[in-house]
Amino acid sequence: KQEVTQIPAALSVPEGENLVLNCSFTDSAIYNLQWFRQDPGKGLTSLLLIQSSQREQTSGRLNASLDKSSGRSTLYIAASQPGDSATYLCAVVYMDTGRRALTFGSGTRLQVQP
Amino acid sequence: GAGVSQSPSNKVTEKGKDVELRCDPISGHTALYWYRQSLGQGLEFLIYFQGNSAPDKSGLPSDRFSAERTGGSVSTLTIQRTQQEDSAVYLCASSLRRQVGHQETQYFGPGTRLLVL
């Protein structure tokens, strides 16, 4: 079964720390991997999308890497701020379907303490 | 421009009633997805529309669930004879489908929170 796993499930850090969120997927045949942010009671906000041919993407304080061979992605957040507190979801589009639907991990709930 | 919109934002219904959830995708986006987010289940795919092609219904949990997309734009997800286990947040997403290899970022709406009593 094609799955996506995220660890840790929850993380609490003091403001200013750099942190890494981990995502692993079971099949290296993917189209792309996408990181989302979800605030309580809200929808999903796309943060970064990495195509299967790419190794990383950067946006501001965020950097996402992709290693298809090991089935892993990391989301690096530099100089964390209280406003970064949210649930971060990793999602993969596996190649064996034509629909391009996302398979989601269960998320990492991040709390940045001021 | 406007993002993906969904209505209603919240819906409370009684067990056994039918409900309709609406999604307005981003203008020009040819691909539309419905997902469900429930406690203990995470986010799961329900159904996918791409242009005028037949929809991929492989994620629908039962035949009580159906969806249509009129004119290649607005979509309605219908749940008949609702059950308590249908309580969840129903999320709609759209993307600008291009050829393989191009970006296919999915943009999500705010969701409809459904509570079946």
Side-chain angles (χ1 to χ4, degrees):
Chain A
K1 181 182 176 182
Q2 294 170 328
E3 295 181 336
V4 178
T5 304
Q6 291 186 248
I7 53 172
L11 182 63
S12 182
V13 300
E15 181 177 5
E17 273 205 7
N18 303 323
L19 58 99
V20 174
L21 307 180
N22 296 291
C23 172
S24 61
F25 45 97
T26 51
D27 186 343
S28 62
I30 66 171
Y31 282 114
N32 59 55
L33 182 146
Q34 202 165 347
W35 282 94
F36 294 89
R37 167 188 174 135
Q38 186 172 33
D39 293 279
K42 301 290 180 63
L44 277 64
T45 300
S46 178
L47 298 174
L48 291 165
L49 180 145
I50 311 177
Q51 296 289 350
S52 62
S53 58
Q54 298 174 325
R55 296 299 299 270
E56 66 176 346
Q57 283 286 336
T58 298
S59 176
R61 294 182 294 109
L62 305 179
N63 176 277
S65 69
L66 174 64
D67 183 344
K68 277 198 311 177
S69 61
S70 65
R72 293 179 183 178
S73 175
T74 61
L75 179 66
Y76 175 82
I77 303 177
S80 59
Q81 303 171 357
D84 295 331
S85 298
T87 296
Y88 290 80
L89 293 159
C90 169
V92 167
V93 179
Y94 284 107
M95 273 188 175
D96 71 344
T97 67
R99 66 169 99 103
R100 304 290 207 275
L102 292 161
T103 300
F104 283 87
S106 53
T108 293
R109 191 170 61 255
L110 173 66
Q111 182 72 37
V112 181
Q113 307 290 346
Chain B
V4 178
S5 60
Q6 293 185 246
S7 62
S9 55
N10 292 280
K11 177 71 176 179
V12 180
T13 190
E14 295 179 349
K15 178 181 173 181
K17 300 279 189 181
D18 297 352
V19 296
E20 284 190 352
L21 312 179
R22 177 188 169 105
C23 171
D24 279 274
I26 293 172
S27 178
H29 281 194
T30 60
L32 186 148
Y33 304 79
W34 283 97
Y35 295 87
R36 177 170 72 173
Q37 186 173 32
S38 49
L39 285 176
Q41 296 293 325
L43 260 155
E44 55 182 346
F45 162 78
L46 297 177
I47 188 170
Y48 160 67
F49 296 89
Q50 171 56 40
N52 296 320
S53 302
D56 179 345
K57 305 178 184 179
S58 60
L60 295 179
S62 78
D63 58 8
R64 295 185 295 104
F65 287 72
S66 64
E68 63 177 19
R69 187 178 185 192
T70 55
S73 180
V74 172
S75 177
T76 302
L77 177 69
T78 301
I79 309 173
Q80 296 178 310
R81 305 181 302 281
T82 52
Q83 304 293 313
Q84 289 180 332
E85 60 263 29
D86 299 334
S87 296
V89 178
Y90 289 82
L91 292 162
C92 175
S94 70
S95 71
L96 181 59
R97 282 295 304 273
R98 297 177 180 174
Q99 295 177 4
V100 172
H102 291 96
Q103 286 220 355
E104 295 179 355
T105 301
Q106 292 188 25
Y107 298 90
F108 281 77
T112 293
R113 286 153 190 77
L114 175 66
L115 177 61
V116 182
L117 301 176

Coordinates of all heavy atoms in Angstrom, one line a residue, chain A residues 99, chain B residues 34-36 44-49 55-68 77-79 90:
Chain A
R99 N -4.8 10.1 -11.9 CA -5.6 11.2 -11.4 C -4.8 12.3 -10.7 O -5.3 13.3 -10.5 CB -6.6 10.6 -10.4 CG -5.9 10.1 -9.1 CD -7.0 9.8 -8.1 NE -7.3 8.4 -8.0 CZ -6.9 7.5 -7.1 NH1 -6.1 7.9 -6.2 NH2 -7.3 6.3 -7.1
Chain B
W34 N -12.0 16.3 -4.7 CA -12.6 16.3 -3.4 C -11.8 15.4 -2.5 O -11.4 14.2 -2.8 CB -14.0 15.8 -3.4 CG -15.0 16.8 -4.0 CD1 -15.5 16.9 -5.3 CD2 -15.7 17.8 -3.3 NE1 -16.4 17.9 -5.4 CE2 -16.5 18.5 -4.2 CE3 -15.7 18.3 -1.9 CZ2 -17.4 19.6 -3.8 CZ3 -16.4 19.3 -1.6 CH2 -17.3 20.0 -2.5
Y35 N -11.5 15.9 -1.3 CA -10.9 15.1 -0.2 C -11.7 15.2 1.1 O -12.6 16.1 1.2 CB -9.5 15.7 0.1 CG -8.5 15.6 -1.0 CD1 -8.4 16.6 -1.9 CD2 -7.6 14.5 -1.1 CE1 -7.4 16.5 -3.0 CE2 -6.6 14.5 -2.1 CZ -6.6 15.5 -3.0 OH -5.6 15.4 -4.0
R36 N -11.5 14.3 2.0 CA -12.2 14.3 3.2 C -11.1 14.2 4.4 O -10.2 13.4 4.3 CB -13.2 13.1 3.3 CG -13.9 13.0 4.7 CD -15.0 12.0 4.6 NE -14.5 10.6 4.6 CZ -15.3 9.6 4.7 NH1 -16.6 9.7 4.8 NH2 -14.8 8.3 4.6
E44 N -8.1 12.0 3.0 CA -8.2 11.0 2.0 C -8.9 11.5 0.8 O -9.8 12.3 0.9 CB -8.9 9.8 2.6 CG -10.3 10.1 3.2 CD -10.9 8.9 3.8 OE1 -10.5 7.8 3.6 OE2 -12.0 9.1 4.5
F45 N -8.4 11.0 -0.3 CA -9.0 11.3 -1.6 C -10.4 10.7 -1.8 O -10.6 9.6 -1.4 CB -8.0 10.8 -2.7 CG -8.6 10.7 -4.1 CD1 -8.8 11.8 -4.8 CD2 -9.0 9.5 -4.6 CE1 -9.4 11.8 -6.1 CE2 -9.6 9.4 -5.8 CZ -9.8 10.5 -6.6
L46 N -11.3 11.5 -2.4 CA -12.6 11.0 -2.7 C -12.9 10.8 -4.2 O -13.2 9.7 -4.7 CB -13.7 11.9 -2.1 CG -13.7 12.1 -0.6 CD1 -14.8 13.1 -0.2 CD2 -14.0 10.7 0.1
I47 N -12.7 11.9 -5.0 CA -13.1 11.9 -6.4 C -12.3 12.9 -7.1 O -11.9 13.9 -6.5 CB -14.6 12.1 -6.6 CG1 -15.1 11.8 -8.0 CG2 -15.0 13.4 -6.1 CD1 -16.6 11.8 -8.2
Y48 N -12.1 12.7 -8.4 CA -11.3 13.6 -9.2 C -12.0 13.8 -10.6 O -12.5 12.9 -11.2 CB -9.9 12.9 -9.4 CG -9.1 13.4 -10.6 CD1 -8.6 14.7 -10.6 CD2 -8.8 12.6 -11.7 CE1 -7.8 15.1 -11.7 CE2 -8.0 13.0 -12.7 CZ -7.5 14.3 -12.7 OH -6.7 14.7 -13.8
F49 N -12.0 15.1 -11.0 CA -12.5 15.5 -12.3 C -11.4 16.1 -13.1 O -10.7 16.9 -12.6 CB -13.6 16.5 -12.2 CG -14.9 16.0 -11.5 CD1 -15.0 16.1 -10.1 CD2 -15.9 15.5 -12.2 CE1 -16.1 15.7 -9.4 CE2 -17.1 15.0 -11.5 CZ -17.2 15.1 -10.2
P55 N -15.1 11.1 -14.5 CA -14.5 11.2 -13.2 C -13.9 10.0 -12.6 O -14.4 8.9 -12.9 CB -15.6 11.8 -12.3 CG -16.8 11.3 -12.9 CD -16.6 11.3 -14.4
D56 N -12.9 10.1 -11.8 CA -12.3 9.0 -11.1 C -12.9 8.9 -9.7 O -12.6 9.8 -8.9 CB -10.8 9.2 -11.0 CG -10.1 8.0 -10.2 OD1 -10.8 7.3 -9.5 OD2 -8.9 8.0 -10.3
K57 N -13.8 7.9 -9.5 CA -14.6 7.9 -8.3 C -14.0 6.8 -7.3 O -14.7 6.4 -6.4 CB -16.0 7.4 -8.6 CG -16.7 8.3 -9.6 CD -18.1 7.8 -9.9 CE -18.8 8.7 -11.0 NZ -20.2 8.2 -11.3
S58 N -12.8 6.4 -7.6 CA -12.3 5.3 -6.8 C -12.1 5.5 -5.3 O -12.0 4.6 -4.6 CB -10.9 4.9 -7.4 OG -10.0 6.0 -7.3
G59 N -12.1 6.8 -4.9 CA -12.0 7.1 -3.5 C -13.3 7.2 -2.7 O -13.3 7.3 -1.5
L60 N -14.4 7.2 -3.4 CA -15.7 7.3 -2.7 C -15.9 6.1 -1.8 O -15.8 5.0 -2.2 CB -16.8 7.5 -3.7 CG -16.8 8.7 -4.6 CD1 -18.0 8.7 -5.6 CD2 -16.8 10.0 -3.8
P61 N -16.3 6.4 -0.5 CA -16.4 5.3 0.5 C -17.6 4.4 0.3 O -17.6 3.3 0.8 CB -16.4 6.0 1.8 CG -16.9 7.4 1.5 CD -16.4 7.7 0.1
S62 N -18.6 4.9 -0.3 CA -19.8 4.1 -0.5 C -20.7 4.7 -1.6 O -20.4 5.8 -2.1 CB -20.6 4.1 0.8 OG -21.4 5.2 1.0
D63 N -21.7 4.0 -2.0 CA -22.6 4.5 -3.1 C -23.5 5.6 -2.6 O -24.3 6.1 -3.4 CB -23.4 3.3 -3.7 CG -24.2 2.6 -2.7 OD1 -24.3 3.0 -1.5 OD2 -24.8 1.5 -3.1
R64 N -23.4 5.9 -1.3 CA -24.2 7.1 -0.8 C -23.6 8.4 -1.3 O -24.2 9.4 -1.2 CB -24.3 7.0 0.7 CG -25.1 5.8 1.2 CD -25.3 6.0 2.7 NE -24.1 5.9 3.5 CZ -23.5 6.9 4.0 NH1 -24.0 8.2 3.9 NH2 -22.3 6.8 4.7
F65 N -22.3 8.3 -1.7 CA -21.6 9.5 -2.1 C -21.6 9.6 -3.6 O -21.3 8.6 -4.3 CB -20.1 9.4 -1.6 CG -19.9 9.6 -0.2 CD1 -20.3 8.6 0.7 CD2 -19.3 10.7 0.3 CE1 -20.1 8.8 2.1 CE2 -19.1 10.9 1.7 CZ -19.5 9.9 2.6
S66 N -21.8 10.8 -4.1 CA -21.7 11.1 -5.5 C -21.3 12.5 -5.7 O -21.4 13.3 -4.8 CB -23.1 10.8 -6.2 OG -24.1 11.7 -5.7
A67 N -20.8 12.8 -6.9 CA -20.4 14.1 -7.2 C -20.6 14.4 -8.7 O -20.5 13.5 -9.5 CB -18.9 14.4 -6.8
E68 N -20.8 15.7 -9.0 CA -20.9 16.1 -10.4 C -20.2 17.4 -10.6 O -20.0 18.1 -9.6 CB -22.3 16.2 -10.9 CG -23.2 17.2 -10.1 CD -24.6 17.2 -10.7 OE1 -25.0 16.3 -11.4 OE2 -25.3 18.3 -10.5
L77 N -20.8 17.9 -4.3 CA -20.6 16.6 -3.7 C -21.9 16.3 -2.9 O -22.3 17.1 -2.0 CB -19.4 16.5 -2.7 CG -19.2 15.2 -2.0 CD1 -18.8 14.1 -2.9 CD2 -18.1 15.4 -0.9
T78 N -22.6 15.2 -3.2 CA -23.8 14.8 -2.5 C -23.6 13.6 -1.7 O -23.0 12.6 -2.1 CB -24.9 14.6 -3.5 OG1 -25.1 15.8 -4.3 CG2 -26.2 14.2 -2.9
I79 N -24.1 13.7 -0.4 CA -24.1 12.5 0.5 C -25.5 12.2 0.8 O -26.2 13.0 1.4 CB -23.3 12.8 1.7 CG1 -21.9 13.3 1.4 CG2 -23.2 11.5 2.5 CD1 -21.1 13.8 2.6
Y90 N -14.8 18.4 4.5 CA -14.8 18.0 3.1 C -14.0 19.2 2.4 O -14.5 20.3 2.4 CB -16.1 17.8 2.6 CG -16.7 16.5 3.1 CD1 -17.3 16.4 4.4 CD2 -16.6 15.3 2.4 CE1 -17.8 15.3 4.9 CE2 -17.1 14.1 2.9 CZ -17.7 14.1 4.2 OH -18.1 12.9 4.7

